[in-house]
Amino acid sequence: MLITVPLLTVLLLLLALVGSLVVSVAQLVRLLPSYADRYQRLIGSITQQLANLGITQDQIRTMLSKLDLGSLIGLLQGFLGGLAGVGSAFVVVVLLLFGMSLDASPTHDAIRALGPARPHLVGALAGFARGTCNYLIVSSVFGLIVAVLDAVALWIMGVPLPLLWGLLAFITNYIPNVGFVIGLVPPALLALLDSGPGKALAVVVVYSVLNFVIQSVIQPKFTGESAGLSTTVTMLSLFVWAYVLGPIGAILAVPLSAFARALLIDADPETRWAVPLVGGHAPARE
């Protein structure tokens, strides 16, 4: 019961997240066609500015040939549909964790029994568990803070669908280094269509300030070196796991790479020379 209740709570929250994404994406699909006229005026303004710079009409047509509203709608639909798929994948992960939690007690006993024979492996797994739990908790808390602040700021500025963009900011907070950019582009583009360059610039500034203060200044003080990965290794792990598992791999890149480090480096004294190359310190043995 002590395990079942928290997992069911998380599962219900994830179901609510997926449901909110589906509803918000449906609202976006209905909203975008109303911006057709503004989009054409924006393209006309860009065309005039390019012509003033001496670019020929043929070159302009070539550059803008794929910038039609239908393509933009299709791109956003595919992107946000992928996020809904990520939410569904999260539900599957939680169900998997629920099944694993049922085996938690015997697994814990089995790992402890390995202590005398494989102390380094047990210490590595224990360090991975502590670091990953800390990383996920802190990322979730600060992701929620950023999401709420982003949504409130967008609502104050009058950008349509602030709830959707807040949910997007929360999900992309788990993507290391580039998640902020992924969460910024869609609301900035919608602000550009809705109110022009000034509103889009305001969205970029607000997101940048919130991201820098919360995610770059405050959050690292709490996460520290919990994941045990350097910035370079984190970026590489993002590309690798996103290629292997798709969007869910990008979100789980840090925990998956931390687990690989625990098994391949921390568990073997002969490979611990590689610890400085991946970042962090070897976990303390229990």
Side-chain angles (χ1 to χ4, degrees):
M1 181 62 69
L2 293 177
I3 296 175
T4 303
V5 172
L7 281 173
L8 287 178
T9 301
V10 172
L11 179 59
L12 290 174
L13 290 175
L14 286 174
L15 287 173
L17 174 64
V18 174
S20 300
L21 278 174
V22 171
V23 172
S24 298
V25 169
Q27 292 176 339
L28 179 63
V29 171
R30 291 195 302 267
L31 179 65
L32 280 178
S34 64
Y35 291 110
D37 292 339
R38 297 183 186 181
Y39 184 80
Q40 293 303 323
R41 289 197 297 269
L42 177 63
I43 293 297
S45 176
I46 294 175
T47 301
Q48 183 60 45
Q49 294 296 326
L50 292 175
N52 293 338
L53 295 175
I55 300 177
T56 65
Q57 290 296 321
D58 290 338
Q59 292 173 320
I60 293 174
R61 280 194 294 270
T62 300
M63 288 186 291
L64 301 180
S65 59
K66 296 183 179 181
L67 294 180
D68 60 279
L69 187 60
S71 299
L72 179 61
I73 293 175
L75 179 63
L76 286 175
Q77 287 177 344
F79 175 73
L80 295 172
L83 287 180
V86 169
S88 301
F90 264 131
V91 174
V92 174
V93 170
V94 171
L95 290 174
L96 177 62
L97 291 177
F98 176 73
M100 294 173 62
S101 68
L102 299 178
D103 298 327
S105 181
T107 301
H108 182 266
D109 294 338
I111 292 177
R112 289 182 63 88
L114 287 174
R118 302 293 300 272
H120 297 289
L121 174 61
V122 173
L125 292 176
F128 160 74
R130 288 192 302 269
T132 301
C133 286
N134 180 55
Y135 169 80
L136 291 176
I137 291 173
V138 172
S139 295
S140 298
V141 171
F142 280 94
L144 181 61
I145 293 173
V146 170
V148 171
L149 293 178
D150 285 344
V152 171
L154 294 175
W155 176 72
I156 293 174
M157 289 187 292
V159 177
L161 304 177
L163 176 60
L164 173 60
W165 310 129
L167 292 173
L168 178 61
F170 176 74
I171 294 174
T172 55
N173 183 67
Y174 292 100
I175 302 177
N177 302 318
V178 300
F180 156 69
V181 178
I182 297 174
L184 165 64
V185 171
L189 287 176
L190 188 59
L192 177 64
L193 290 175
D194 184 72
S195 304
K199 184 66 66 66
L201 179 60
V203 171
V204 173
V205 171
V206 169
Y207 265 64
S208 298
V209 170
L210 290 175
N211 177 78
F212 176 77
V213 173
I214 296 177
Q215 296 176 317
S216 299
V217 177
I218 301 177
Q219 183 172 337
K221 297 181 183 296
F222 291 87
T223 55
E225 297 179 343
S226 58
L229 301 173
S230 67
T231 302
T232 301
V233 173
T234 300
M235 285 294 298
L236 291 175
S237 67
L238 171 63
F239 299 141
V240 171
W241 291 113
Y243 176 78
V244 174
L245 299 177
I248 192 67
I251 294 174
L252 298 178
V254 171
L256 290 172
S257 294
F259 183 64
R261 169 194 157 145
L263 292 181
L264 300 178
I265 297 178
D266 297 331
D268 188 351
E270 295 184 0
T271 59
R272 291 198 175 190
W273 58 266
V275 168
L277 300 179
V278 299
H281 304 282
R285 289 172 53 185
E286 291 189 337

